[in-house]
Amino acid sequence: MKKVLMMAMGLCFILSASPALAGAPEGEALFKGAAKCKNCHNTTDKKKVGPGLSKVLDRAGAEWVKSFLADPQAVWTADEGYTKTLKESVNSVGKPKPKHKTHKLTDEEIENLLDFLRTLT
Ligand code: HEC
């Protein structure tokens, strides 16, 4: 029994150590397709409806982006850390609501989107 457990743990380790950015192609498809991110975001630093997303993970951090995509309204309302910076940069400090209207993303979709965002330079 112990052996089986060890093997399972080893397998998990191997899987989690699979190459980074594995989800990038799916993230890109989602970005351009079903999740409609592309309607509002360029992948360069050029503003569209929302900020250009080039290097967004460098400024916002992966944890912030994850929380924001999972529940933009909650992150906006909590008004902590990078959210303050973003509000200032989009000049929307006083507005109670983020303009974000994406469909409800699953955790896997968020991970894939993050992998795609990591490829933006
Ligand atoms: C309806 C337009 C719209 C759509 C669709 C949209 N966004 Fe946004 N996004 C915005 C706006 C506007 C902001 C700036 C904050 C605000 O006002 O809500 C923003 C902010 C962001 C930020 C923070 C940018 C920064 O510079 O810090 C990220 C990351 C982001 N969006 C990712 C996404 C992803 C990924 C998708 C698709 C799942 C998406 N957005 C879909 C409009 C949109």
Side-chain angles (χ1 to χ4, degrees):
M1 183 60 201
K2 220 172 173 181
K3 232 179 186 172
V4 175
L5 202 67
M6 290 296 283
M7 270 169 65
M9 280 169 66
L11 193 67
C12 283
F13 180 75
I14 291 166
L15 287 175
S16 67
S18 62
L21 311 187
E26 276 163 58
E28 181 171 10
L30 201 57
F31 190 93
K32 296 181 172 167
K36 301 198 170 77
C37 319
K38 196 172 179 274
N39 290 1
C40 298
H41 291 287
N42 283 317
T43 51
T44 60
D45 58 7
K46 210 162 158 249
K47 184 178 179 282
K48 207 169 179 182
V49 179
L53 294 183
S54 123
K55 296 202 177 88
V56 66
L57 287 170
D58 289 350
R59 56 178 181 273
E63 284 312 310
W64 184 90
V65 174
K66 254 191 220 178
S67 321
F68 186 65
L69 294 181
D71 193 345
Q73 185 63 63
V75 169
W76 198 257
T77 310
D79 197 24
E80 285 161 6
Y82 179 73
T83 305
K84 290 179 196 278
T85 313
L86 176 62
K87 284 182 179 179
E88 272 170 37
S89 74
V90 297
N91 198 15
S92 163
V93 180
K95 292 203 189 121
K97 265 182 153 215
K99 296 175 194 103
H100 239 247
K101 291 193 184 100
T102 59
H103 77 238
K104 188 91 184 119
L105 299 162
T106 65
D107 288 350
E108 194 188 347
E109 286 174 329
I110 291 176
E111 289 299 337
N112 291 340
L113 281 166
L114 238 75
D115 274 357
F116 172 61
L117 293 178
R118 284 189 180 99
T119 67
L120 304 181
T121 53

